[in-house]
Amino acid sequence: MALPGRAAERRLSTGIDLSVVVPAFNEELRLPAMLADLGEFLAGWSGTAEVVVVDDGSTDRTAEVARTTGSSLPGLQVVSYQPNRGKGCAVRTGLLLATGSVRLFLDADGATPAAEIPKLLDALRSGCDVAIGSIGLPEADVVVAQRRLRVLAGTVGNAAIRWMLLPGIYDTQRGCKAVRASAVPLVVEPLTADGFGFDIEMLALARSAGLDVCEVPIRWQHIPGASLTLHSYLAVLRDVIRLRRRVGRLTARSASTPAPSQPSGSDE
């Protein structure tokens, strides 16, 4: 499979085409199956790859399990820190440590199979700067749905996010997103949200920078054991309100910045 992306970005000096970041908090039980699925996919991957597992302050054997069950994964790095900071911090840490021309993150629960990765890479190949997996599009394949209350909360939350900050994007919260290395300074380095609201901040930064964001329908299934609670949804909405103000300031600042002067033409 050819490396997705523009010709100038086809290979970094590291020679890594694809970096897969896996944020993990207390995932010793679900991580082995996810890493096995990822390993099966990468075994058929024709480019070069690396895997970065970020242990976000776990109190169980997440880091140890990642090292043992993921020992055959290409370029495996397991990064641990204390205390727990939140998924946003873990993803930011992993994407900044990664060296691939394309940097992608997948949730540790395995809700999105690794076989969906090519869909995001195809979107980048088509010219997008950021590609996000989505179950908010009609073409998505939801194998096992969440409980009704959580589905309702997600539906209302996504509607609020579209209205306040990200019109046209129907699912901001799937743990399956890919960015070009060239976009990392614009959408990863400036991230401030440590919690679940980081996805929204990343997409808002991409939009404000004029980058192309592609929403891609994916196959997804609910995996029991998620740490997302009603409090998590409320925290995300608080992040949306904060980010709306921040993006408004960035937009106003950009609009008030004078365009560079052009040399005047000569009639001679």
Side-chain angles (χ1 to χ4, degrees), residues 31-49:
L31 191 57
M34 183 273 172
L35 293 181
D37 177 57
L38 178 59
E40 183 177 347
F41 168 77
L42 291 177
W45 167 255
S46 61
T48 54

Side-chain angles (χ1 to χ4, degrees), residues 6-264:
R6 300 165 185 151
E9 299 168 9
R10 287 190 179 276
R11 188 172 296 275
L12 299 182
S13 59
T14 59
I16 300 297
D17 297 332
L18 174 66
S19 298
V20 181
V21 173
V22 182
F25 172 62
N26 288 347
E27 290 287 2
E28 66 175 356
L29 297 180
R30 300 191 295 183
L31 191 57
M34 183 273 172
L35 293 181
D37 177 57
L38 178 59
E40 183 177 347
F41 168 77
L42 291 177
W45 167 255
S46 61
T48 54
E50 66 178 358
V51 177
V52 182
V53 178
V54 182
D55 170 25
D56 179 32
S58 298
T59 56
D60 65 359
R61 299 171 53 251
T62 290
E64 178 185 345
V65 167
R67 291 189 182 94
T68 54
T69 63
S71 59
S72 62
L73 292 171
L76 178 68
Q77 299 181 61
V78 179
V79 181
S80 298
Y81 55 76
Q82 293 287 343
N84 171 253
R85 292 282 304 277
K87 183 179 177 182
C89 180
V91 170
R92 183 171 66 247
T93 298
L95 291 178
L96 292 178
L97 283 173
T99 60
S101 298
V102 170
R103 304 178 192 184
L104 176 147
F105 68 87
L106 284 177
D107 281 348
D109 60 4
T112 304
E116 301 300 287
I117 290 176
K119 294 180 181 179
L120 274 66
L121 301 184
D122 286 344
L124 296 183
R125 185 184 295 110
S126 72
C128 295
D129 300 290
V130 179
I132 66 172
S134 169
I135 63 170
L137 301 176
E139 302 85 354
D141 180 14
V142 179
V143 180
V144 180
Q146 298 170 305
R147 290 175 297 177
R148 289 185 179 180
L149 182 60
R150 183 170 287 184
V151 171
L152 177 61
T155 301
V156 172
N158 276 311
I161 292 165
R162 283 196 303 277
W163 175 62
M164 289 193 289
L165 195 60
L166 294 169
I169 296 181
Y170 290 87
D171 182 9
T172 61
Q173 301 307 109
R174 281 326 99 190
C176 179
K177 295 179 174 66
V179 302
R180 297 178 183 277
S182 60
V184 167
L186 298 173
V187 303
V188 179
E189 290 181 9
L191 287 174
T192 60
D194 282 344
F196 290 106
F198 83 95
D199 300 82
I200 303 164
E201 184 177 16
M202 176 184 290
L203 299 178
L205 288 169
R207 283 272 180 91
S208 65
L211 301 181
D212 290 327
V213 177
C214 292
E215 189 171 8
V216 180
I218 57 170
R219 184 174 186 269
W220 183 90
Q221 62 178 332
H222 172 61
I223 306 294
S227 58
L228 198 62
T229 63
L230 179 59
H231 180 269
S232 302
Y233 285 105
L234 295 175
V236 168
L237 290 177
R238 285 198 299 269
D239 281 341
V240 170
I241 295 171
R242 176 181 64 84
L243 290 169
R244 189 182 186 189
R245 295 177 184 143
R246 181 185 175 196
V247 170
R249 289 194 298 269
L250 289 173
T251 303
R253 187 181 308 155
S254 175
S256 64
T257 302
S261 60
Q262 299 293 328
S264 59

